[in-house]
């Protein structure tokens, strides 16, 4: 079964061809960073327009690189939310058109479900596992019992982890997206130069809060007498975020009695985070899985993977109708 995945929820126009849920034949991503960076963040109207310009070429390239034609595709899996409405509609409408014209089954995929399953693009993980999804819009801990069985354990009450990286990068005039820029600058800084607060919330809670940390960084930048370099601030901020993420991840594993932990989402591309998660996992006897950075950030391969598994599990229900709608705030599907 060949699945064509299509992803346009934010600022990446992406298409991929996946065979039997695990063999990736192509994975094309047209990144829009150059368009949005001068505005310091994604401009929804521009993102939609650039998706329209890129989508056809991206899909054609995904099919060509996989060495297949549209007639070989057995299922089209497309992101239907959550995300920016004007971006989602581009991918969804193209997918519907192709499904209708080619008489190909269509399945709408939750973008977050794609992130939760991205690890299966490179290796098999034993169920159950705890997944920490950390991106620009989300910071969520899930218990994953099966391909379509997810239980939310904790989430951010304010900013997402990636959003805090982007905001601190803006405070330091580094540019957008902030995560990779902070990571690079932090390599030259001293994590011992200052201690930012670790917002852990009340004992036992698996929720997150990053807005207080962001405010503490702003205050430190304003009151800095020159004793801290920008690199020190980046290093100390990143260290505080990582510390919180590591502690919550393993608190969740301990509470659920689970020995498999999976990272996902754009922030999971952070090398320092991956190293600390893996070191703590070794110490606690928990196996930590980190998808390759290209599977952490937005891509269509993970959408094809999630669509494949949902379609296989729900084949009794069949494909989605062509009246399928986009949803900016689509919740993760209940199991
Ligand atoms: O999953 P993603 O590509 O898109 C969303 O669905 O949001 O995540 C993007 C987020 C951005 O906030 C970006 O700054 C952050 O992931 N990010 C990173 C790194 N690479 C991307 N954060 C920290 N370190 C990185 N290396
Ligand atoms: Zn994402």
């Amino acid at each position: 079964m060949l699945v064509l995945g299509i992803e346009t929820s934010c600022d990446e126009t992406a298409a991929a061809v996946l065979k039997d849920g695990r063999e990736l034949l192509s994975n094309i991503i047209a990144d829009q960073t150059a368009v949005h960076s001068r505005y310091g963040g994604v401009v929804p109207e521009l993102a939609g327009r650039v998706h329209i310009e890129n989508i056809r070429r991206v899909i054609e390239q995904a099919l060509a690189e996989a060495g297949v034609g549209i007639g070989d595709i057995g299922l089209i899996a497309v992101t239907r939310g959550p995300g920016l409405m004007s971006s989602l509609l581009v991918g969804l409408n193209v997918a519907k058109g192709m499904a209708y014209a080619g008489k190909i089954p269509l399945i709408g995929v939750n973008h977050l479900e794609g992130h939760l399953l991205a690890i299966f693009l490179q290796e098999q993980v034993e169920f159950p596992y705890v997944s920490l999804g950390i991106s620009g819009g989300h910071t969520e801990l899930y218990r994953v019992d099966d391909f379509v069985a997810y239980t939310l354990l904790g989430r951010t009450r304010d900013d997402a982890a990636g959003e805090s990286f982007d905001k601190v990068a803006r405070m330091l005039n580094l540019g957008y997206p902030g995560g990779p820029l902070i990571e690079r600058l932090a390599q030259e800084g001293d994590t011992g130069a200052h201690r930012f607060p670790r917002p852990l919330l009340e004992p036992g809670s698996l929720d997150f809060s990053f807005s207080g940390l962001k405010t503490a960084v702003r205050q430190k930048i304003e009151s800095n007498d020159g004793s801290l370099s920008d690199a020190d601030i980046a290093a100390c901020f990143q260290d505080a975020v990582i510390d919180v993420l590591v502690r919550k991840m393993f608190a969740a594993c301990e509470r659920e009695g689970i020995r498999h932990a999976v990272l996902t989402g754009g922030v999971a591309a952070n090398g320092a985070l991956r190293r600390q998660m893996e070191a703590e996992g070794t110490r606690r006897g928990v196996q930590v899985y980190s998808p390759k950075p290209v599977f952490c950030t937005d891509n269509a391969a993970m959408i094809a993977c999630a669509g494949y598994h949902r379609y296989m599990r729900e084949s009794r229900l069949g494909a989605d109708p062509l009246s399928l709608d986009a949803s900016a705030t689509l919740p993760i599907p209940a199991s």
Side-chain angles (χ1 to χ4, degrees):
M1 150 88 98
L2 290 179
V3 182
L4 172 66
I6 299 176
E7 152 68 35
T8 62
S9 66
C10 189
D11 63 337
E12 268 95 12
T13 319
V17 177
L18 185 69
K19 188 174 174 188
D20 299 331
R22 55 159 71 174
E23 193 189 334
L24 191 56
L25 303 185
S26 63
N27 188 28
I28 309 297
I29 303 166
D31 167 74
Q32 301 181 5
T33 305
V35 176
H36 302 287
S37 58
R38 82 178 88 149
Y39 303 102
V42 177
V43 183
E45 166 64 22
L46 277 181
R49 224 182 291 168
V50 179
H51 283 311
I52 292 170
E53 286 166 13
N54 287 345
I55 187 92
R56 191 175 156 165
R57 175 180 56 81
V58 166
I59 292 174
E60 281 173 357
Q61 212 177 325
L63 292 171
E65 219 168 85
V68 301
I70 188 67
D72 301 314
I73 298 296
L75 176 71
I76 297 177
V78 62
T79 306
R80 62 172 291 237
L84 303 171
M85 201 44 134
S86 53
S87 289
L88 289 165
L89 284 172
V90 177
L92 184 62
N93 283 322
V94 167
K96 282 186 193 178
M98 292 177 77
Y100 178 70
K103 297 190 173 53
I104 305 165
L106 174 78
I107 192 136
V109 174
N110 183 300
H111 179 82
L112 303 177
E113 188 177 12
H115 277 303
L116 286 180
L117 300 180
I119 190 68
F120 286 96
L121 295 166
Q122 68 184 50
E123 61 196 298
Q124 298 301 301
V125 184
E126 246 178 68
F127 296 111
Y129 61 82
V130 170
S131 174
L132 174 61
I134 30 180
S135 68
H138 298 268
T139 298
E140 288 167 355
L141 270 167
Y142 281 93
R143 178 189 168 108
V144 182
D145 282 291
D146 205 340
F147 284 115
V148 290
Y150 318 104
T151 310
L152 183 67
L153 303 175
R155 66 181 350 155
T156 184
R157 294 184 187 171
D158 41 58
D159 292 351
E163 193 180 351
S164 72
F165 270 92
D166 295 334
K167 286 180 176 168
V168 169
R170 211 173 305 156
M171 291 176 207
L172 294 172
N173 297 316
L174 294 180
Y176 176 86
L181 300 167
I182 294 264
E183 180 178 9
R184 205 169 316 141
L185 184 61
Q187 283 164 5
E188 295 154 28
D190 173 11
T191 52
H194 180 73
R195 187 175 166 86
F196 284 120
R198 268 69 172 153
L200 290 168
L201 304 170
E202 59 274 20
S205 169
L206 293 175
D207 281 351
F208 302 84
S209 167
F210 291 107
S211 77
L213 171 60
K214 174 190 68 188
T215 306
V217 173
R218 176 174 293 122
Q219 285 166 348
K220 194 70 207 169
I221 291 172
E222 283 165 4
S223 67
N224 188 15
D225 56 6
S227 58
L228 290 179
S229 67
D230 283 359
D232 290 336
I233 291 172
C236 296
F237 157 74
Q238 180 177 274
D239 197 47
V241 175
I242 292 175
D243 195 14
V244 171
L245 294 174
V246 169
R247 287 206 233 174
K248 295 277 179 177
M249 171 73 113
F250 291 99
C253 288
E254 197 171 313
R255 199 185 85 180
E256 297 295 309
I258 289 178
R259 312 206 77 78
H260 300 274
V262 177
L263 289 170
T264 185
V267 182
N270 186 287
L273 169 74
R274 296 160 79 98
R275 283 190 293 278
Q276 287 191 39
M277 281 285 179
E278 279 157 24
E280 188 64 11
T282 305
R283 211 175 65 75
R284 290 171 176 256
V286 173
Q287 173 90 35
V288 174
Y289 300 83
S290 313
K292 287 193 252 177
V294 69
F295 298 146
C296 288
T297 46
D298 289 349
N299 65 86
M302 68 183 191
I303 301 304
C305 179
Y308 170 84
H309 288 291
R310 184 156 284 278
Y311 186 67
M312 287 312 195
R313 293 295 159 117
E314 297 186 353
S315 52
R316 65 189 189 283
L317 301 174
D320 282 323
L322 289 176
S323 56
L324 185 71
D325 248 344
S327 163
T329 55
L330 188 70
I332 200 119
S335 43

